[in-house]
């Protein structure tokens, strides 16, 4: 009789044996084929894959002046798997003049770095001096697992344009996670064009495969270098910045908080971008970078903040040009419409003050004298024009659309990280703030660049460029050329505003009249025909001094915005600084009289107190 129980037991045993064999095969396959650790371990027994870093692209100004270049530097790299029980840590620490505590801490940090592998090179110590490198190189054979990695570090030729240039520092774990090009110990642009154009500047890494013997000693290139890959140098950048203009702007804003932005209207190229207080970009180089960066970050005056694109300010009376354009284009006013001004705007118990000038006044005179009442009346009549717009919401959003078309309320798109958008309110904003019950009087202060309206100095300078062009602008940019690449079409397309060129002609007349006998009369001394508009932006403390203008009136070469916090009237700081900057760029130098004036403004200091900024 057949024993079915015995057969079942044999079947079960055979099945278990098959499962064990299959499991073993799968595990072996995983280890040898799929496991990255196994492959690295196997490779590391015979090869050392040494990264060769490319030279980072150099940076020059628009006139070819070298701003940023490279110098050789040396890093110490470690392969953890090769140091086990083979390292005399005392001699190693003495050679590098470091403590045992530093050594232990650094090795532990490396092991806890994301992406760490004990079979690949990890950064132990960076940017050795020539002397440190020489001493270590002589004894390196005594320290198994440690290697010298040659690379280059950034050097900044001048103490200017720190916010534009930015800096380079070691990658963070987030950088490595975001882009697998980087490994621990690599460097990356952190701010400015160094960050924005990182992929063009960094180049492509090379690799050199070295062969080891059975004891791990290097025997030279594998297959005579047939599998090596040479590094590809990064691309050079030519900036739009004019070094001499940038240097003058930084001099003029010493001891002051504010910004100067100058643009070439015909291209959108940023000629200078000054943010004050600033810092010397050469502080952000070498092993002291971290310490210096921490000190700057803790400074209450915020020198790391690029106020030109991050500072949000009331544009003040420079904004009146946008109102004139909107009212003329919408037919709210004509060139002959005159409004009364008896030291201010008075209506239904509301009073908004103004300085003394002739009255009634039309658009050209209102711009020339910076009349508040004219622009208050214009906005009041626009928002309340139910025949044309139907309700205040439609009127408000029409006004908003004009402002947006002129470059306000959204980021302009400059090729620098961190740009802010500013604020242009719309009907929904006020419906929410006033629960649907509001009118032109409620929001009257936006007509003179106060209230809820905020803008960056870049946006104010771009307004000047738009008026200089009589109705269009190019997206402002700080890079003029990338080596072997065409300029991104983002920066070559014209952006037209909603206002017609006819309206711009009258605004230009008003800004020229301001120079001939209005609030910008200090510019009348120059041999080029300047056009300008002052601004005195109200503030909790002393008012901000603002200027926006361009020159010459026809075929303009430069548009500029000057913003000095707590500088008082626009004519106190904004106008004279703007004039000096225009003279420097148009004439290529300052006159003797202007040089003395520049020295005077450089020495001036504004007492800001101790409050944080």
């Amino acid at each position: 009789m057949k024993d079915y129980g015995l057969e079942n037991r044999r079947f079960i045993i055979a099945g278990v044996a098959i499962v064990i064999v299959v499991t073993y095969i799968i595990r072996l396959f995983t280890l040898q084929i799929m496991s990255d650790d196994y492959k690295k371990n196997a490779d590391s027994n015979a090869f050392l894959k040494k990264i060769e870093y490319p030279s980072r692209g150099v940076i020059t100004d628009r006139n070819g002046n070298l701003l940023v270049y490279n110098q050789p530097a040396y890093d110490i790299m470690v392969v953890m798997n090769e140091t086990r029980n083979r390292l005399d840590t005392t001699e190693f620490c003495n050679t590098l003049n470091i403590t045992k505590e530093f050594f232990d801490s650094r090795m532990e940090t490396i092991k806890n770095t994301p992406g760490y592998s004990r079979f690949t090179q990890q950064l132990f110590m960076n940017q050795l001096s020539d002397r440190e490198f020489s001493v270590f190189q002589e004894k390196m054979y005594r320290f198994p697992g440690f290697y010298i990695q040659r690379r280059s570090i950034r050097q900044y030729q001048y103490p200017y344009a720190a916010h534009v240039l930015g800096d380079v520092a070691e990658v963070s774990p987030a950088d490595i996670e975001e882009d697998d090009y980087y490994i621990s110990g690599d460097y990356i642009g952190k701010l400015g064009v160094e960050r924005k154009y990182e992929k063009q500047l960094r180049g492509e890494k090379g690799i050199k495969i070295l062969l080891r013997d059975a004891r791990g000693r290097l025997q030279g290139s594998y297959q005579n270098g047939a599998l090596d890959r040479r590094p590809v140098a990064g691309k050079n950048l030519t900036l739009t910045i004019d070094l001499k203009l940038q240097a003058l702007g930084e001099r003029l804003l010493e001891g002051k908080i504010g910004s100067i932005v100058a643009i070439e209207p015909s291209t959108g190229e940023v000629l200078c971008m000054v943010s004050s207080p600033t810092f010397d970009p050469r502080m952000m180089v070498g092993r002291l970078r971290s310490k210096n960066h921490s000190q700057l970050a803790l400074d209450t005056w915020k020198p790391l903040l690029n106020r030109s694109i991050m500072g949000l300010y009331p544009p003040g009376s420079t904004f009146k040009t946008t109102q004139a354009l909107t009212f003329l284009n919408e037919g709210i006013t004509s060139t002959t419409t005159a409004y009364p001004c008896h030291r201010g705007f008075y209506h239904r118990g509301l009073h908004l003050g103004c300085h003394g000038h002739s009255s009634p006044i039309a658009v050209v005179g209102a711009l020339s004298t910076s009349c508040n009442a004219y622009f208050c009346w214009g906005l009041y009549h626009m928002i309340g024009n139910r025949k044309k717009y139907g309700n205040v919401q439609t009127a408000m959003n029409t006004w908003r659309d004009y402002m947006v078309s002129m470059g306000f309320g959204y980021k302009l798109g400059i090729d620098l990280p961190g740009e802010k958008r500013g604020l242009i309110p719309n009907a929904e904003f006020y419906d929410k703030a006033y629960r649907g019950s509001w009118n032109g009087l409620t929001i009257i202060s936006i007509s003179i660049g106060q209230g809820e309206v905020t803008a960056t100095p870049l946006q104010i300078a771009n307004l000047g460029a738009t008026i200089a062009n009589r109705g269009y602008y190019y997206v402002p940019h700080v890079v003029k050329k990338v080596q072997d690449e065409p300029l991104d079409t983002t920066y070559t397309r014209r952006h037209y505003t909603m206002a017609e060129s006819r309206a711009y002609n009258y605004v230009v007349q008003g800004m020229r009249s301001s120079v001939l006998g209005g609030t910008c009369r200090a510019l009348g001394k120059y041999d080029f025909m300047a056009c300008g508009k002052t601004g005195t932006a109200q503030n909790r403390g002393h008012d901000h001094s603002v200027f926006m203008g361009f020159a010459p009136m026809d075929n303009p070469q430069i548009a500029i915005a000057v913003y000095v916090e707590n500088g008082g009237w626009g004519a106190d700081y904004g106008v004279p600084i703007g004039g000096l900057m225009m003279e420097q760029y148009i004439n290529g130098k300052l006159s003797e009289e202007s040089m003395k004036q520049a020295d005077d403004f450089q020495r001036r200091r504004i007492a800001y107190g101790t409050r944080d900024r």
Side-chain angles (χ1 to χ4, degrees):
M1 188 173 180
K2 198 166 186 179
D3 188 347
Y4 290 102
L6 179 61
E7 285 192 9
N8 286 338
R9 286 195 297 273
R10 288 175 179 172
F11 180 78
I12 292 170
I13 292 171
V16 171
I18 291 171
V19 169
I20 292 172
V21 171
V22 170
T23 301
Y24 177 77
I25 292 172
I26 292 173
R27 178 59 179 160
L28 190 62
F29 175 82
T30 302
L31 284 172
Q32 294 187 354
I33 306 300
M34 303 298 291
S35 172
D36 190 50
D37 282 346
Y38 182 86
K39 288 193 291 182
K40 287 178 180 177
N41 193 10
D43 283 349
S44 69
N45 290 330
F47 306 112
L48 173 66
K49 294 180 180 179
K50 187 175 183 181
I51 293 173
E52 293 195 317
Y53 285 92
S55 176
R56 197 170 174 88
V58 302
I59 303 176
T60 60
D61 84 335
R62 66 188 296 111
N63 298 312
N65 294 301
L66 184 63
L67 302 178
V68 187
Y69 60 99
N70 304 300
Q71 280 194 336
Y74 308 93
D75 295 346
I76 296 178
M77 311 297 290
V78 59
V79 178
M80 292 293 196
N81 199 52
E82 299 175 15
T83 64
R84 294 180 176 179
N85 304 318
R86 301 170 61 194
L87 180 67
D88 184 341
T89 55
T90 300
E91 185 178 7
F92 180 87
C93 292
N94 289 337
T95 301
L96 286 176
N97 195 28
I98 60 176
T99 64
K100 178 66 164 53
E101 290 74 21
F102 175 86
F103 175 87
D104 292 338
S105 173
R106 183 63 193 145
M107 295 294 269
E108 192 63 30
T109 298
I110 291 171
K111 293 175 183 177
N112 292 325
T113 300
Y116 162 74
S117 169
R118 68 179 187 274
F119 303 113
T120 60
Q121 291 190 3
Q122 308 290 321
L123 176 66
F124 177 81
M125 194 169 176
N126 65 352
Q127 299 183 20
L128 270 65
S129 67
D130 289 339
R131 180 182 174 280
E132 290 171 329
F133 164 70
S134 299
V135 171
F136 185 79
Q137 188 179 39
E138 288 179 3
K139 298 184 177 182
M140 192 168 66
Y141 70 94
R142 300 182 186 178
F143 310 133
F146 286 87
Y147 302 89
I148 289 289
Q149 174 71 66
R150 190 179 187 279
R151 66 167 87 223
S152 59
I153 58 172
R154 292 307 240 180
Q155 293 292 330
Y156 298 88
Q157 184 80 352
Y158 301 97
Y160 308 122
H163 295 100
V164 175
L165 297 173
D167 71 322
V168 174
E170 189 176 342
V171 292
S172 66
D175 294 325
I176 296 172
E177 185 176 348
E178 185 177 326
D179 190 338
D180 59 10
Y181 173 89
Y182 302 102
I183 60 174
S184 179
D186 282 356
Y187 294 95
I188 190 173
K190 290 293 185 179
L191 296 169
V193 295
E194 294 275 24
R195 181 71 179 189
K196 186 69 175 181
Y197 289 86
E198 165 66 15
K199 290 186 177 179
Q200 290 90 338
L201 286 167
R202 73 188 184 189
E204 297 177 17
K205 295 175 186 174
I207 189 167
K208 194 174 186 66
I209 304 176
L210 302 174
L211 187 65
R212 304 175 190 267
D213 63 15
R215 296 184 178 180
R217 295 173 299 192
L218 297 178
Q219 300 299 303
S221 294
Y222 176 62
Q223 293 187 3
N224 294 319
L227 301 180
D228 293 351
R229 185 175 68 247
R230 295 179 62 84
V232 178
K235 296 182 177 182
N236 300 331
L237 298 186
T238 301
L239 300 189
T240 63
I241 299 296
D242 182 294
L243 178 62
K244 291 183 178 179
L245 190 67
Q246 181 76 24
L248 175 61
E250 293 192 20
R251 278 182 56 206
L252 296 174
L253 285 192
E254 282 185 20
K256 310 161 193 73
I257 296 175
S259 169
I260 303 172
V261 179
I263 297 173
E264 183 178 65
S266 61
T267 61
E269 294 178 0
V270 176
L271 303 173
C272 80
M273 180 175 283
V274 179
S275 179
S276 182
T278 185
F279 59 95
D280 188 336
R282 294 173 295 189
M283 295 173 61
M284 309 297 268
V285 172
R287 294 211 296 265
L288 290 177
R289 180 201 178 272
S290 180
K291 177 182 177 182
N292 291 336
H293 185 275
S294 296
Q295 290 178 344
L296 291 170
L298 293 173
D299 191 322
T300 56
W301 304 111
K302 296 181 173 57
L304 292 175
L305 178 70
N306 185 353
R307 288 172 167 82
S308 297
I309 62 173
M310 299 176 180
L312 298 177
Y313 299 103
S317 294
T318 62
F319 202 61
K320 291 173 181 174
T321 55
T322 67
Q323 306 308 288
L325 291 164
T326 302
F327 302 155
L328 287 170
N329 209 70
E330 282 293 286
I332 302 301
T333 63
S334 70
T335 57
T336 59
T337 302
Y339 289 122
C341 179
H342 303 292
R343 290 194 173 272
F345 172 79
Y346 291 87
H347 192 61
R348 295 184 180 177
L350 178 65
H351 174 223
L352 199 154
C354 189
H355 53 278
H357 55 75
S358 61
S359 174
I361 196 167
V363 62
V364 171
L367 288 168
S368 177
T369 60
S370 198
C371 172
N372 284 340
Y374 178 92
F375 298 99
C376 289
W377 280 115
L379 183 72
Y380 176 71
H381 287 145
M382 179 176 179
I383 298 300
N385 193 332
R386 293 183 179 273
K387 182 177 180 181
K388 183 177 180 66
Y389 302 109
N391 54 54
V392 295
Q393 284 79 11
T394 301
M396 183 68 215
N397 286 338
T398 301
W399 179 91
R400 182 273 319 274
D401 291 343
Y402 271 90
M403 300 307 105
V404 170
S405 79
M406 295 176 195
F408 294 95
Y410 292 89
K411 297 177 182 179
L412 283 167
I414 191 170
D415 50 346
L416 286 173
E419 181 188 6
K420 302 298 183 183
R421 61 181 288 177
L423 175 62
I424 295 295
N426 58 14
E428 183 181 1
F429 179 93
Y430 287 125
D431 281 343
K432 184 176 180 180
Y434 297 106
R435 297 181 181 179
S437 179
W438 56 277
N439 57 39
L441 291 179
T442 314
I443 62 171
I444 202 68
S445 59
I446 66 173
S447 67
I448 58 172
Q450 299 286 167
E452 294 76 24
V453 172
T454 60
T456 64
L458 176 68
Q459 290 172 326
I460 300 173
N462 189 65
L463 172 63
T466 305
I467 298 171
N469 290 333
R470 277 59 166 182
Y472 66 87
Y473 67 88
Y474 297 93
V475 172
H477 49 286
V478 297
V479 170
K480 185 179 181 72
K481 181 181 179 182
V482 179
Q483 180 184 357
D484 301 326
E485 284 188 16
L487 189 65
D488 193 313
T489 56
T490 299
Y491 308 115
T492 60
R493 293 195 303 267
R494 289 184 179 184
H495 294 259
Y496 285 89
T497 76
M498 292 173 64
E500 297 176 357
S501 59
R502 179 185 63 86
Y504 278 95
N505 289 333
Y506 287 104
V507 170
V508 170
Q509 287 182 36
M511 293 176 68
R512 180 59 186 163
S513 177
S514 180
V515 172
L516 295 176
T519 57
C520 294
R521 63 176 65 89
L523 301 179
K525 66 179 182 179
Y526 294 108
D527 57 3
F528 48 82
M529 295 178 66
C531 298
K533 181 71 196 75
T534 54
T536 305
Q538 293 179 3
N539 181 49
R540 292 177 184 175
H542 204 40
D543 291 342
H544 302 319
S545 179
V546 196
F547 169 75
M548 179 271 292
F550 61 91
M553 183 172 77
D554 299 314
N555 300 314
Q557 300 174 38
I558 181 173
I560 191 166
V562 180
Y563 210 107
V564 180
E565 292 190 28
N566 304 153
W569 295 100
D572 292 343
Y573 280 93
V575 173
I577 289 176
L580 290 169
M581 296 292 287
M582 289 192 285
E583 180 187 4
Q584 169 65 45
Y585 186 71
I586 292 173
N587 295 341
K589 62 179 182 180
L590 297 179
S591 66
E592 287 191 19
E593 178 187 354
S594 293
M595 289 175 65
K596 293 178 182 177
Q597 187 182 22
D599 289 340
D600 174 57
F601 272 95
Q602 183 179 3
R603 288 190 295 267
R604 291 190 192 184
R605 298 290 185 268
I606 297 177
Y608 290 103
T610 58
R611 66 187 178 89
D612 290 353
R613 290 181 172 273

